[in-house]
Amino acid sequence: VDAAELPTSTHSQGPVQFAASAHLAMHCPGCELMELVRASYYGYFQVVLEQLPPVEAGFVSALRGPGLGTKLRDDFLTSDDVTIRRSSR
């Protein structure tokens, strides 16, 4: 089965998933659309990540750089309303 003939789309629930979805979409020939809530992209997503995949003229591009090309903002990680849990494994 040729994956290019299977239509796909991505659905982003949060900023990290949005960044990962941009990378996935770039490598899926059948990706026809990528879900985006503008209010989240221009609001909450900006609070969490240092850099977001750019959206220009209705198209999203994946970030370049290690991993997803971005990282969690330091001020987000140290805010009082964020809880960080680490596993001992």
Side-chain angles (χ1 to χ4, degrees):
V1 176
D2 185 1
E5 293 180 19
L6 299 174
T8 61
S9 64
T10 64
H11 304 280
S12 299
Q13 298 293 321
V16 175
Q17 186 179 7
F18 180 72
S21 293
H23 281 275
L24 177 64
M26 298 291 292
H27 296 284
C28 290
C31 188
E32 297 178 349
L33 62 94
M34 202 174 146
E35 178 187 59
L36 168 65
V37 177
R38 288 179 297 192
S40 296
Y41 180 85
Y42 292 106
Y44 174 68
F45 287 14
Q46 307 277 336
V47 172
V48 177
L49 294 181
E50 285 189 357
Q51 186 179 7
L52 291 169
V55 177
E56 296 176 7
F59 292 91
V60 178
S61 299
L63 295 169
R64 298 179 186 264
L68 297 177
T70 189
K71 67 177 198 168
L72 297 173
R73 294 173 55 105
D74 289 333
D75 56 337
F76 171 74
L77 290 171
T78 58
S79 94
D80 291 336
D81 58 345
V82 172
T83 302
I84 298 174
R85 295 183 183 165
R86 291 187 171 88
S87 174
S88 60
R89 293 183 176 184

